[in-house]
Every structure is written in structure tokens, then in C-alpha cells.
Amino acid sequence: MHVVSKSEASRTNPFQETFERLRARRWEQAHTSAKERVARLRKLREAIVARREELYQAMYADFRKPAAEVESTEVLVVLMELDHALKHVAQWMKPRRVPTPLLLAGTRGQVRYEPKGVVLIISPWNYPFQLTLSPLVAAVAAGNCVCIKPSEKTPHTAQVMERLIRDVFDPSEVAVVQGGGAESQALLELPFDHFFFTGGARVGRKVMEAAARHLAGVTLELGGKSPVVVDDTADLKATAERLVFGKFINAGQTCVAPDYVMVPAAREEELLGHLREAIEHAYGKTEEARRASPDFCRMVDDAQFGRVNGLLERSVSQGARVVLGGTVDADSRYIAPTVLADVKPETAIMEEEIFGPVLPVLRYDTLDDAVRFIREGSKPLALYIFSQDNATVERLLADTTAGGTCVNTVVMHLTSAELPFGGVGESGLGNYHGEFGFRTFSHERAVLHQGPLFLLKNFFPPYAGRAGKLGRVASRLFE
């Protein structure tokens, strides 16, 4: 039998040495105290604060993301995640005592949280800093060694993150691998203990296949068409303002962006009017003003521009009405904030997650119709409900499923470290943020301590006598 040497493995996979370096540090990292982990996280926090301006410039260079959006949707979210972990990681790490069942009298049980080991984080381009650093915070808090693969679509941001992480962590603790699809595929061939992926379902399936080959843990943060249901009782002005914020921030390139809106037929025109007002207030009253707005992002690359523009053109040719927007500029990868009406289920814009600044509005007659339509689609990452009627809210919560839900707002649930963030079905598997992230990157190890009192000895064989009788008596207690 031929045993593959480390040098041979390195030639086979360009990242084998990186992986081995992390794996060699795995147990030392697992034994770090809460104080040591806090020190690492605090150092990371200080480095982020010091590099704010670099992040602004990098994301503007990558897809003209406004500094204010970088601050609120990237830096602030990560700092909040860090502060929550700094405050609670010592408590999360403590073994948790659990009650003892009657038949195990004389024992004591606990759950211990131990790091998974060496974990891989493959992050996306749409929120390149937040969706890389937030899972990193959880992985470090849990005591893991980490390999990060940022997106090649936002190269300036990826370079800033690599420098930042190199300044904070030893490369045997946290390593960054740059590159595209080939590099990601090579990483998936390595036996990481946990795979954490944020992106689309197509690649998500490949990540899950890799995790299955290695019998490793996996977290998939995907996307989907997140619906909005507006009912007869909703405050339409407030609804429109919040929808415009959630839909058009990052030019719609947000995994939890409202993907389409369902509104009672009798209230459609009123809602459309408020959407127009909200867009004009946010980005300018004319198409020229909106195109020149410093507050509106761009499509990340030509492929993304072409895909969204294609959906828009096909939808209009199929009868969708442009209420506002609809203009594009290929050279600058600009797609105007756009609202479509007269959209039908078979319209092109409803075929896939839009991931761009186009908001379709659909009419419904009864709440049953809205529920049925949502159920017929894949399970979304988010569901948004705008209603002042508690019965309607509870009906929608009970009769649909989604990774997360907001009532009378959008998107904001992912900013809370006290709430799990993740999908269900095609929108994802597993969750993170706060303690949920710590647990995602931890193995919950059951430990049972036997004391001097040992009642179970009475159940040992031979079973012909007392042991058999006791077993029958004990089982009847639970009938």
C-alpha cells in the first residue's frame, strides 16, 4: 500500500500545507481560555475600527457602495456581533448542567462545548465584510482554527480583509485564501471539520456534497424569493418607506431583500404611489438625479448586470408595467431603482431570486390566495408581513415557513445577535449570530459522571431473576 506523503499531498492540492498548518494548531486553539479568546476578538475589533477608511474605499472601488452603507451594513453589524461575543463568550464556554432522570439517580450530566476543529468559511461578494467577519467572530469565539475564502468579485475588499486578518491572527490560527471557483473547489477537497458557506443554492449543493464526503458539519446561508405580504390594515406610507430601504440598499443585492410584494387589489395603486414618493425622497425626483445619487450602489459585475437587466426586459415585454425606473446603463452597471406593476406569477421577474433593484408588485384577492402562492414556491430566507391585525400576522406565521420573519419592518432581524439567522430548505441549512453562531462552530459533547450510588447495577444480567423483573417494572412507569 502506498502512503501519500505530505509533500505529495501538497502537490495534489495547493492548499494542503495551509490546511495542515491550521490542523497542527487545532488542539492548542481548542485549549484557549475565555480570556485568551476575548483578547483575540478585542484585537480584531481594534483592527476593524482602525481600517474603516480602507473599507470605505475598497467597497466603493468594488461596486460603488456608499460609505454610509459600508458603515451601517458592514462595519456596524460586525462590531455589534463582536461586542456581543466579548460580553458573553465566557458564559457560552461553561459546561451546562442538565437534570438527571430517575433511573440515572447517582449520576450527573453536563453538556460541554468543544470547538469543531478546523473550519472553512466561504463568503460572498454582496456584503463582503459583514458576511466574512460575522461567522469568523463565532468561529474564533468557539475556539476553532479558520480558513477564509473571500469572493473574487470584490477584490479590493478581499485584499483589505486579508491584510486586516494577517495583522490580527497568526496564520496557523486564521488563514485567508484568495482566488475564484478553482480555488474554492480545491478547498472543498480538504477534510475540514465544518464548512460554512454563504451564497447561491447551486454552489451550496456542492459545498454540502463536500461536507458529506468528509462527514463534516455544514452551514449553508443561501437566499430565495423573500415575499412581502401587505394586508388591508397596513400603514402604506410607512410600509413603502421601509420596503424602499430594504429593497434598494446595496442596489438590491441582499439575500434578505424583499423580492416581491403582494398587496390587496384595492390598495395596489395607493401603495405604488407611496413607493414612488419614497424612492424619490431617497434617491432623487428624476431619473437623472437618481443615476447621479451618491447613495445608490451598482451591480457588482457585468454578469450580474446582464442577468438582472435581462429579467427586467423580458418582464416588460411580457406586459409588466414600469411604475418608476426601468432605465439602465451598461457601462456603469447601473440599473435604476425600479417598481413593476401588473406582474403575474409567470412573469420572468418571478422565475428566480432577483438580487437587484427591481421590485415587482402583485395583486391578491384573499389572504388564502397569498398563503397558497407563498407555499407553492420554495421556502424563503425571509418573509415580511405588514399588518396591524394580530390575527393576520399569526395566520401567516402559522401557515407559512421562512428562515426568519419581520412584522412591519424588513431586513432588521439579521442585525440582532439574540436571534438566529439562517434559512430553511432551499434558502439554507443551519444558523448563526450570537450564541447560535458559537453553537454552530461547537460540538455539544454529552458527559455523564457516575457517583457512588449505582442503581443501574440492578439491571445487569443474568435477566432471569431480579434484573428482568426490574426492567419490566421500570418500563411500566413510562406507559
Side-chain angles (χ1 to χ4, degrees), residues 21-313:
R21 185 168 59 245
L22 294 167
R23 185 154 64 176
R25 185 67 175 264
R26 177 251 194 275
W27 287 107
E28 182 181 342
Q29 201 72 0
H31 293 153
T32 52
S33 65
K35 184 177 180 181
E36 290 171 311
R37 296 182 195 180
V38 163
R40 284 173 170 83
L41 293 174
R42 187 166 286 124
K43 187 177 180 182
L44 176 60
R45 191 187 195 287
E46 291 167 356
I48 292 169
V49 171
R51 291 184 182 270
R52 265 193 169 104
E53 288 297 329
E54 286 184 61
L55 288 167
Y56 297 162
Q57 294 167 16
M59 275 179 261
Y60 189 87
D62 282 331
F63 55 129
R64 229 187 88 163
K65 186 162 183 167
E69 282 191 16
V70 175
E71 187 64 46
S72 62
T73 68
E74 306 269 5
V75 176
L76 176 60
V77 176
V78 174
L79 292 179
M80 290 168 63
E81 191 75 21
L82 269 165
D83 286 351
H84 189 78
L86 287 167
K87 183 177 180 181
H88 295 289
V89 66
Q91 183 63 39
W92 296 341
M93 291 173 63
K94 290 180 180 178
R96 177 168 55 89
R97 288 289 299 271
V98 296
T100 299
L102 178 61
L103 289 180
L104 293 181
T107 69
R108 56 185 173 85
Q110 63 176 201
V111 178
R112 300 177 71 94
Y113 296 95
E114 56 187 36
K116 292 281 184 74
V118 184
V119 304
L120 174 65
I121 297 173
I122 301 178
S123 58
W125 53 263
N126 59 324
Y127 290 87
F129 186 74
Q130 180 206 142
L131 297 179
T132 302
L133 272 291
S134 287
L136 175 64
V137 169
V140 171
N144 296 278
C145 291
V146 186
C147 181
I148 293 171
K149 166 58 180 68
S151 174
E152 72 279 11
K153 289 178 180 285
T154 46
H156 297 88
T157 309
Q159 289 298 328
V160 172
M161 289 193 295
E162 182 174 7
R163 292 195 298 270
L164 185 155
I165 288 167
R166 194 167 54 230
D167 288 349
V168 174
F169 298 100
D170 187 280
S172 64
E173 297 174 9
V174 181
V176 177
V177 169
Q178 303 282 9
E183 287 73 18
S184 293
Q185 185 58 49
L187 289 168
L188 293 178
E189 293 169 3
L190 296 169
F192 287 94
D193 299 296
H194 192 90
F195 294 78
F196 189 104
F197 170 76
T198 305
R202 182 183 61 82
V203 178
R205 288 184 175 90
K206 293 182 179 179
V207 174
M208 195 166 186
E209 288 171 3
R213 287 196 302 272
H214 302 301
L215 296 179
V218 61
T219 303
L220 302 177
E221 297 294 339
L222 308 177
K225 295 188 75 64
S226 295
V228 179
V229 180
V230 180
D231 79 351
D232 288 318
T233 69
D235 178 337
L236 293 188
K237 185 175 186 298
T239 297
E241 291 170 349
R242 295 164 197 178
L243 287 177
V244 166
F245 165 76
K247 179 62 182 183
F248 298 111
I249 194 170
N250 215 44
Q253 299 167 117
T254 303
C255 59
V256 290
D259 199 87
Y260 63 94
V261 181
M262 305 185 74
V263 61
R267 306 201 76 192
E268 181 188 24
E269 288 304 321
E270 184 183 356
L271 177 63
L272 293 174
H274 285 300
L275 287 170
R276 174 187 288 275
E277 291 172 1
I279 291 171
E280 290 178 349
H281 176 76
Y283 302 113
K285 290 188 175 298
T286 66
E287 286 293 342
E288 292 74 18
R290 291 190 281 275
R291 184 178 303 194
S293 172
D295 301 322
F296 191 69
C297 199
R298 295 296 186 264
M299 299 291 96
V300 72
D301 60 15
D302 291 340
Q304 172 73 349
F305 171 86
R307 186 188 63 80
V308 177
N309 185 42
L311 289 174
L312 176 58
E313 289 180 342

Side-chain angles (χ1 to χ4, degrees), residues 221-224 226 255-256 379-383 402-404 413 421-424 427:
E221 297 294 339
L222 308 177
S226 295
C255 59
V256 290
K379 298 171 183 176
L381 185 56
L383 169 68
H413 61 300
F421 178 72
V424 57
S427 61

Side-chain angles (χ1 to χ4, degrees), residues 443-479:
H443 167 59
E444 294 178 309
R445 184 174 186 171
V447 180
L448 186 74
H449 294 266
Q450 179 65 59
L453 178 64
F454 188 50
L455 297 182
L456 287 180
K457 184 176 182 181
N458 295 307
F459 293 86
F460 287 5
Y463 299 121
R466 184 177 61 175
K469 293 178 182 178
L470 281 174
R472 288 192 295 273
V473 169
S475 66
R476 289 190 182 111
L477 293 175
F478 297 93
E479 291 179 357

